Amino acid sequence: MKLLVENFKNFLSEDEDDPKMPQEVAKLLDDNGYHVDQYLGGGKYGSVYQVEVKESGRRMAVKVVDGAAAGGGSVKREVNNYMWVMDNKEGLPKDVSKHLPDVYSADIVGDYGVIAMELLDPD
């Protein structure tokens, strides 16, 4: 049974490898006040990192969408989607909003989408 559960977890995970963070992304996060603690996961167009806000020490997740891989339209769409969640989560029914993260900011910085959100517990 354990093997079945582990295989299912691997199936659900988009990418569990801890890739080397591109220097440009490391600089982008550092310049925007984040210290990167660890890589959490990623997909075709971007990566999610656990970060600590340098000024406050608050831990959160930051999703970085790579414009070179995703294309400018995809970055804008992803940022707009998270902005919608940020602006509308409170007005959604509880049974819907409980499935969405708290989003703190969603911006386009250079060629990247940078989305800061609550750090969720693993399933």
Side-chain angles (χ1 to χ4, degrees):
M1 183 64 157
K2 183 178 178 187
L3 182 60
L4 177 65
V5 171
E6 290 303 313
N7 284 336
F8 185 66
K9 283 183 179 178
N10 288 335
F11 172 76
L12 290 177
S13 176
E14 290 184 49
D15 183 3
E16 288 197 6
D17 294 335
D18 188 353
K20 183 169 172 54
M21 182 187 301
Q23 285 289 57
E24 189 174 348
V25 172
K27 181 171 177 11
L28 171 97
L29 293 174
D30 186 62
D31 289 350
N32 283 278
Y34 300 114
H35 168 74
V36 177
D37 290 330
Q38 67 177 315
Y39 171 80
L40 296 176
K44 187 172 182 181
Y45 302 124
S47 300
V48 180
Y49 303 94
Q50 177 179 309
V51 301
E52 185 175 311
V53 179
K54 291 178 185 179
E55 189 173 290
S56 67
R58 181 181 193 181
R59 292 190 185 273
M60 63 178 63
V62 171
K63 181 175 186 178
V64 180
V65 183
D66 184 350
S74 294
V75 170
K76 186 173 175 61
R77 185 172 46 253
E78 190 76 356
V79 167
N80 285 342
N81 288 342
Y82 278 93
M83 287 176 71
W84 186 91
V85 170
M86 186 172 54
D87 294 340
N88 294 286
K89 182 179 176 181
E90 284 187 22
L92 296 173
K94 288 270 189 213
D95 61 328
V96 173
S97 65
K98 70 181 182 181
H99 298 288
L100 300 172
D102 289 339
V103 179
Y104 308 126
S105 66
D107 300 298
I108 296 175
V109 181
D111 291 333
Y112 294 91
V114 179
I115 299 125
M117 65 188 91
E118 75 177 302
L119 187 58
L120 299 173
D121 294 327
D123 283 342

